[in-house]
Amino acid sequence: MPDPIEVRKVPLHTVSDASGLAELIDAGVLEADRVVAVIGKTEGNGGVNDYTRIIADRAFREVLVDKGSRSPDEVKQVPIVWSGGTDGVISPHATVFATLDPATAERTDEPRLTVGFAMSEVLQPEDIGRTAMVSKVSDAVKEAMERAGISDPADVHYVQTKTPLLTIHTIRDAKSRGKTVWTEHTHESMDLSNGCTALGIAVALGEIEMPTDADVMHDRSLYSSVASCSSGVELDQAQVVVVGNTRGVGGRYRIGHSVMRDALDADGIWAAIKDAGLDLPDRPHPGDLHGRLVNVFLKCEVSQDGQVHGRRNAMLDDSDVHWHRQIKAAVGGVTAAVTGDPAVFVSVSAAHQGPDGGGPVAAIVDLGPDPTGYVPPPPQP
């Protein structure tokens, strides 16, 4: 049986700020050596050259080394997934997952949060966008499930990944070995890496059959309802974090999921929160959360038909501001309006992650007697 999980959200006051993590450790809320994953948002451009992800990653790993007994090499193995770009009202933050000593956790036979992680085999540049990547990711998801103590895919509610994308350097490397790559456009390779990874998650969880190379980025009816995939230049493997529920593990947290059908589907966000175990009225309000929502995690994607609710939009035709930034800001605003908290994990590039124009939503709630989630300040008179 895996250990119970403590999960907290901390703000990032600057790009290099990890003081929230340090404060949790100093206060005894969690131990540095028990941190098993971090998932966060940084304020960079969200593109191929978003250096803020590297800065934040270094800051958090330095805290884990300074305040724990693990070596720098051991801390490098901790999955820390940064999604760049806090467009609109999204606030930079990180969600920290750590195991607890079972003797200190709340006892319950109800389903409670569990986390497992794994690293895939090395992903070569020629793998990205092809079934070789799908297979390697699928194998890593199954390994992470096993580490989380999950045997039934229905108990998986969120799979966060970080995978490599293509750069000029890796494209040249593939060519030097006589290989071809799916695309030579590095920014397009971000969508490609995310989408192909999502198909690997869907295969591992039995949501779809093994796709063909031709299906990748083309058959949008193939998707995972729990995948949240990011990519960057920081690694050459897939980092996989599986988050679900299991009975007997104990603790106070629980996760649920749903999907947004389009960019304005606030009900999809509320459905995930309810699925996590909160009893809410038919037409809920942020004030009904009472600090029990730890965080929500969403992927979003512009609809390929250029419409939302039957109305035309110009995001795909805009040459001034890339649609990545526009849809992220839009969905971030919808999400913050639901939760009452701008520190929400909203990530773009959701090919094969939820239905076209929508995306998966996962929600973690605190079911303990003294909830630890965010409570917004009262409105000013």
Side-chain angles (χ1 to χ4, degrees):
M1 179 67 67
D3 288 339
I5 296 293
E6 181 68 35
V7 55
R8 297 293 180 99
K9 181 167 63 179
V10 297
L12 270 62
H13 300 295
T14 67
V15 169
S16 59
D17 175 45
S19 62
L21 172 61
E23 290 167 4
L24 288 174
I25 296 169
D26 290 342
V29 175
L30 50 84
E31 299 176 28
D33 290 344
R34 282 184 170 271
V35 172
V36 294
V38 178
I39 299 170
K41 292 291 299 181
T42 67
E43 61 210 71
N45 61 23
V48 174
N49 65 335
D50 186 348
Y51 61 87
T52 65
R53 297 187 298 241
I54 298 173
I55 294 173
D57 188 86
R58 179 180 301 169
F60 271 66
R61 292 189 194 278
E62 286 176 352
V63 169
L64 294 180
V65 171
D66 291 345
K67 294 188 175 293
S69 62
R70 290 184 287 192
S71 70
D73 285 341
E74 290 173 319
V75 168
K76 283 182 181 178
Q77 300 306 309
V78 177
I80 299 183
V81 178
W82 295 105
S83 170
T86 51
D87 303 84
V89 300
I90 300 171
S91 184
H93 69 279
T95 305
V96 182
F97 298 83
T99 60
L100 288 175
D101 180 344
T104 66
E106 295 182 18
R107 303 280 186 175
T108 178
D109 289 328
E110 291 297 310
R112 288 295 183 265
L113 192 73
T114 182
V115 176
F117 63 93
M119 299 289 285
S120 77
E121 294 181 35
V122 170
L123 292 164
Q124 301 292 347
E126 60 267 25
D127 293 339
I128 297 174
R130 293 168 174 155
T131 52
M133 185 179 191
V134 174
S135 295
K136 290 178 180 180
V137 169
S138 178
D139 289 344
V141 171
K142 292 175 182 177
E143 182 181 348
M145 284 177 60
E146 185 176 351
R147 291 181 177 180
I150 297 175
S151 57
D152 186 349
D155 292 326
V156 175
H157 294 274
Y158 177 46
V159 182
Q160 178 65 58
T161 63
K162 191 76 175 186
T163 51
L165 44 72
L166 292 169
T167 66
I168 295 300
H169 172 74
T170 57
I171 292 170
R172 286 176 178 169
D173 170 65
K175 288 183 174 181
S176 73
R177 294 181 286 104
K179 304 296 184 179
T180 63
V181 293
W182 199 94
T183 179
E184 295 190 21
H185 297 284
T186 58
H187 197 270
E188 181 185 33
S189 76
M190 179 180 295
D191 297 334
L192 174 67
S193 181
N194 292 353
C196 193
T197 301
L199 291 174
I201 295 168
V203 168
L205 301 181
E207 295 176 284
I208 63 171
E209 299 295 327
M210 187 69 179
T212 66
D213 284 349
D215 292 326
V216 178
M217 302 300 291
H218 294 120
D219 187 350
R220 297 299 182 103
S221 70
L222 302 177
Y223 65 81
S224 171
S225 296
V226 297
S228 177
C229 305
S230 293
S231 53
V233 298
E234 306 96 309
L235 72 174
D236 61 3
Q237 299 167 273
Q239 281 185 346
V240 178
V241 181
V242 167
V243 188
N245 297 315
T246 190
R247 292 182 183 274
V249 69
R252 58 194 295 159
Y253 302 98
R254 185 168 170 173
I255 187 170
H257 80 277
S258 186
V259 295
M260 291 181 77
R261 295 294 170 185
D262 58 41
L264 300 179
D265 184 16
D267 286 343
I269 303 171
W270 284 117
I273 298 171
K274 290 179 180 179
D275 188 57
L278 290 193
D279 186 14
L280 297 171
D282 290 339
R283 299 303 302 171
H285 179 273
D288 298 318
L289 296 172
H290 304 297
R292 293 200 174 277
L293 180 65
V294 178
N295 206 1
V296 288
F297 305 84
L298 297 88
K299 291 294 291 189
C300 57
E301 178 88 351
V302 67
S303 178
Q304 297 297 296
D305 64 6
Q307 296 187 41
V308 177
H309 280 198
R311 294 288 195 181
R312 182 177 74 90
N313 66 71
M315 284 186 281
L316 289 173
D317 293 324
D318 195 328
S319 298
D320 295 314
V321 182
H322 195 275
W323 66 263
H324 274 194
R325 310 203 73 162
Q326 297 190 49
I327 193 67
K328 191 189 307 177
V331 174
V334 171
T335 306
V338 167
T339 65
D341 182 1
V344 289
F345 186 92
V346 178
S347 176
V348 76
S349 187
H352 301 298
Q353 298 152 76
D356 182 38
V361 187
I364 296 175
V365 300
D366 184 345
L367 300 175
D370 299 305
T372 58
Y374 179 76
V375 177
Q380 296 297 315

